[in-house]
Amino acid sequence: MSVDDNTPVLRGCIKLPLATDELLEVTAKAKDYAIMHGAAMRSKTSFSPDSLNFAPFVLVPSSFPRKEFEKAIALQPIINRLMHNVAHDEEFITTTLAETIKVDEFTANLFNIYRKVLAHGFTQRISLGMLRSDLMLESRCPELSPLLDSSAGGGDDDDVDADTDADVEEQEQRRAKDAKAKTKTKANPAKIGGRTSSAYCCWKQVEINTIASGFGHLGPASKTIQSFVLRELGHAEKLQRMPKNDALAGLCDGMVKAWDIYAKPQAVILFIIEEVSYNICDQRFHEFYIRETYPHIKVLRRTLTEVHRDGKLGQHKELLLGSTEVAVIYFRAGYEPGHYPSQGEWDARYLMETSLAIKCPSIHYHLAGTKKVQQALAQPSVLERFINDPEEMKAVGKIFTGLYSLDDNEAGNANYEMALRTPEKFVLKPQREGGGNNVYGLDIPDALKRMSRVERSAWILMDLIHPPLSQGYMVRPGSAMPPQIVDMVSELGIFGVVIGDAEHIVHNYQAGHMLRTKLSTANEGGVAAGLGALDSPYLIDSDDEDGYF
Ligand code: ADP
Ligand code: MG
């Protein structure tokens, strides 16, 4: 991660460190609380279907600027609509992915399904989108970080080496704007451990997920653990700054709304799962919520292999597993090549795609969630195609950080040269989901040089985001007790549900959030991958008193 002495530190929720005895006691309690409230996972190292470990978590919630949190929440229905429109734009999807599918076999396989479905016409015109827009605070945001330059001596001064004349001009304008903002804004950043504390950050989108958007249960569960801890520590009054989070209900209700639209009382909701589900709580709680809240709706869990074995289409193209009709398919697998060990799994995906069942996601939604599409959307001229309202367009345009194509053309090759010159500014991403696939900073030149010009087009380049730090205790199964205070960075995910067809959106809402936090030294923070930890936001305001609350 790009962290240095100038990286600002967000104020903590409570004063740390805790006394060792108190810390030991509350941590032991919190671990049990986590397991007993389903903030848990199957162990990867000693797997057993009969037991759970608690999922790594941060002991007390990490601070997040309220204004930015509220902005993200408010923007989600607009992002939902944007993604819905993108998914239904055949020409855009086809041209955007044209180069990528020449070299990326996985995306090409998905695209082939799309092409075949297009050729035969969609059996089911309604799609269920359950999205998660992931974002990070950007501490070097030119518009909103007036204090950081002046007090921390850092800020966004590192972009002096502009690439083009246009960049120079843009930077001049930005500096002039910054200077104006500095005189307007009054605030007092506090120093923590020699670093600057401030709530002044904007946020930038990391990615948007359209398939298997996880943490609908673990998001709210994190709040439950941390609320318990704060109460145990005598800070019950802090709970009011932890925003309500109904992600599980919001997402499951989305599935149920799709089930209602399908309108067959006997039809079931099908979860497509991996052979082994380590992140089992984050799936079972969805199932249990549906069963408890809507006992008349059955839920089945099947792998792609099982669907290949047992699935067929009925007379009206309904998906049948044996004699059971499927109304809604919720993919918690199918987003990476390993989920398709043979042609059989691809055939199963195609079978489902051609069926009458409502898919989450349908194939066009899946393709709309590729990194390549995100990169194309970041261009203002492209955004215009999907958003009419100028205010909305401005708001969405702001969330994108620099995203660059590496296609084999003039612009792509210039971006390639830029990456070789200043790799420390970028992250390089392939068309994959699930974490662990990106290349960061100084590793980029070697990775790029190993690729042919054509191979490069399967990747995109993205500006590195520089989130502020927070400090706290990260608690992991098997790690030493008591936990030590560590520097961490967080990534917020906002869930959205959107249901409709090419012409109409029938449901569109924001559906809660999740916060994942990782060590500031880690590039990626997947919780299941073992790098991240469950967390939840503690909302701070820019005019709060300095120091701890
Ligand atoms: P995936 O689909 O594999 O989850 P992401 O684009 O979300 O891919 O990247 C994985 C992780 O890498 C993110 O969760 C984040 O921690 C880190 N990351 C991705 N893009 C950036 C960026 N532009 N700046 C800083 N960190 C990033
Ligand atoms: Mg991600």
Side-chain angles (χ1 to χ4, degrees):
M1 257 337 286
S2 173
V3 170
D4 57 35
D5 281 351
N6 290 329
T7 305
V9 184
L10 294 168
R11 299 181 193 108
C13 153
I14 57 168
K15 190 161 169 41
L16 301 181
L18 297 174
T20 307
D21 286 353
E22 189 179 35
L23 176 61
L24 280 169
E25 190 168 341
V26 79
T27 307
K29 257 191 252 191
K31 287 181 182 182
D32 285 344
Y33 193 94
I35 296 174
M36 292 170 195
H37 289 76
M41 289 184 172
R42 299 249 197 261
S43 167
K44 281 193 171 160
T45 46
S46 48
F47 177 83
S48 162
D50 298 339
S51 64
L52 291 170
N53 280 348
F54 69 85
F57 63 92
V58 180
L59 195 62
V60 295
S62 296
S63 294
F64 200 97
R66 180 190 306 276
K67 222 171 107 194
E68 297 306 307
F69 179 83
E70 286 173 354
K71 236 191 256 173
I73 294 284
L75 200 62
Q76 191 57 40
I78 299 169
I79 294 181
N80 290 346
R81 184 156 26 86
L82 166 68
M83 295 311 291
H84 187 82
N85 292 344
V86 169
H88 288 90
D89 190 325
E90 184 187 327
E91 190 202 339
F92 178 71
I93 298 264
T94 305
T95 49
T96 303
L97 294 174
E99 293 304 307
T100 308
I101 60 175
K102 286 184 191 159
V103 277
D104 186 315
E105 196 189 339
F106 180 68
T107 311
N109 283 336
L110 294 173
F111 194 83
N112 274 339
I113 293 180
Y114 178 55
R115 204 163 13 210
K116 281 198 275 179
V117 175
L118 279 176
H120 295 111
F122 289 93
T123 312
Q124 177 55 262
R125 291 173 45 77
I126 297 270
S127 283
L128 166 59
M130 297 212 286
L131 316 177
R132 201 187 68 212
S133 171
D134 289 344
L135 59 99
M136 274 177 164
L137 290 169
E138 172 56 90
S139 61
R140 301 185 190 178
C141 186
E143 308 128 57
L144 288 159
S145 58
L147 288 159
L148 300 179
D149 317 324
S150 53
S151 50
D156 74 331
D157 282 347
D158 68 340
D159 57 6
V160 283
D161 48 347
D163 289 299
T164 63
D165 289 344
D167 286 352
V168 174
E169 198 177 291
E170 197 185 299
Q171 283 181 17
E172 285 309 324
Q173 283 169 2
R174 228 199 282 159
R175 284 203 187 91
K177 208 162 125 203
D178 282 4
K180 217 162 138 199
K182 262 178 215 168
T183 54
K184 263 195 200 161
T185 316
K186 199 168 140 272
N188 304 299
K191 286 265 180 191
I192 299 176
R195 291 188 178 127
T196 305
S197 138
S198 173
Y200 293 89
C201 293
C202 64
W203 56 263
K204 297 289 174 191
Q205 186 177 71
V206 173
E207 67 156 344
I208 180 121
N209 300 284
T210 59
I211 182 163
S213 309
F215 284 66
H217 158 70
L218 289 175
S222 319
K223 182 183 171 187
T224 312
I225 308 169
Q226 292 176 327
S227 303
F228 170 73
V229 169
L230 285 177
R231 276 193 301 263
E232 288 298 297
L233 292 173
H235 293 292
E237 82 288 355
K238 310 265 178 193
L239 267 53
Q240 61 190 356
R241 283 182 185 258
M242 297 177 75
K244 108 174 178 351
N245 189 0
D246 293 329
L248 183 67
L251 295 173
C252 292
D253 289 348
M255 287 189 247
V256 170
K257 286 182 201 308
W259 184 90
D260 283 339
I261 290 172
Y262 194 85
K264 294 257 191 89
Q266 298 308 317
V268 304
I269 297 178
L270 170 66
F271 287 19
I272 298 295
I273 54 165
E274 296 168 86
E275 289 296 330
V276 180
S277 301
Y278 294 102
N279 193 5
I280 189 69
C281 294
D282 204 57
Q283 297 179 11
R284 284 289 190 199
F285 271 88
H286 294 61
E287 177 178 347
F288 300 158
Y289 174 92
I290 294 172
R291 295 293 295 143
E292 282 161 17
T293 318
Y294 310 95
H296 54 291
I297 306 177
K298 276 214 171 111
V299 173
L300 293 182
R301 289 164 57 83
R302 296 287 183 273
T303 62
L304 286 167
T305 315
E306 288 166 338
V307 172
H308 180 235
R309 191 189 62 205
D310 302 335
K312 58 176 193 290
L313 295 188
Q315 248 182 358
H316 306 287
K317 293 204 173 179
E318 59 276 30
L319 178 65
L320 300 171
L321 292 178
S323 57
T324 305
E325 181 169 351
V326 175
V328 177
I329 308 172
Y330 173 46
F331 286 92
R332 286 301 294 252
Y335 54 83
E336 63 171 48
H339 297 161
Y340 301 83
S342 72
Q343 184 56 36
E345 288 73 24
W346 283 111
D347 292 347
R349 180 81 192 261
Y350 178 63
L351 180 83
M352 289 187 274
E353 210 53 52
T354 54
S355 79
L356 195 61
I358 298 176
K359 273 80 63 182
C360 175
S362 46
I363 193 75
H364 40 300
Y365 255 92
H366 190 169
L367 291 170
T370 52
K371 309 279 190 290
K372 185 68 196 170
V373 166
Q374 183 196 18
Q375 176 258 307
L377 280 179
Q379 303 163 75
S381 58
V382 174
L383 216 45
E384 259 171 32
R385 182 178 176 129
F386 300 106
I387 304 181
N388 299 326
D389 184 297
E391 286 304 312
E392 288 185 1
M393 209 175 81
K394 211 165 112 199
V396 174
K398 273 192 193 161
I399 72 175
F400 293 115
T401 190
L403 282 143
Y404 314 91
S405 144
L406 291 170
D407 286 355
D408 185 14
N409 55 31
E410 200 178 325
N413 291 328
N415 294 333
Y416 166 75
E417 296 296 335
M418 174 174 77
L420 294 187
R421 265 199 319 276
T422 51
E424 67 283 358
K425 289 186 172 177
F426 301 110
V427 48
L428 180 66
K429 298 187 179 185
Q431 309 307 309
R432 290 288 175 277
E433 300 296 326
N437 303 299
N438 300 341
V439 180
Y440 294 84
L442 299 180
D443 293 336
I444 292 175
D446 276 352
L448 279 178
K449 284 179 194 160
R450 278 197 300 270
M451 296 175 202
S452 69
R453 275 169 173 254
V454 185
E455 279 168 345
R456 290 205 299 259
S457 55
W459 296 69
I460 60 146
L461 194 66
M462 182 175 186
D463 284 344
L464 257 187
I465 304 168
H466 308 87
L469 298 176
S470 53
Q471 294 174 327
Y473 297 107
M474 206 179 258
V475 187
R476 310 190 149 276
S479 66
M481 286 277 277
Q484 303 297 307
I485 292 184
V486 286
D487 281 351
M488 310 177 294
V489 296
S490 300
E491 186 171 346
L492 180 69
I494 309 286
F495 293 105
V497 172
V498 52
I499 305 178
D501 62 20
E503 281 80 41
H504 301 104
I505 291 180
V506 284
H507 297 285
N508 177 10
Y509 56 92
Q510 176 272 127
H513 60 272
M514 50 80 85
L515 192 75
R516 260 177 315 178
T517 293
K518 63 184 177 185
L519 291 179
S520 63
T521 46
N523 279 326
E524 296 198 13
V527 176
L531 293 164
L534 307 183
D535 201 350
S536 44
Y538 177 80
L539 300 183
I540 55 174
D541 296 289
S542 50
D543 55 0
D544 284 327
E545 293 288 303
D546 283 340
Y548 302 96
F549 302 110

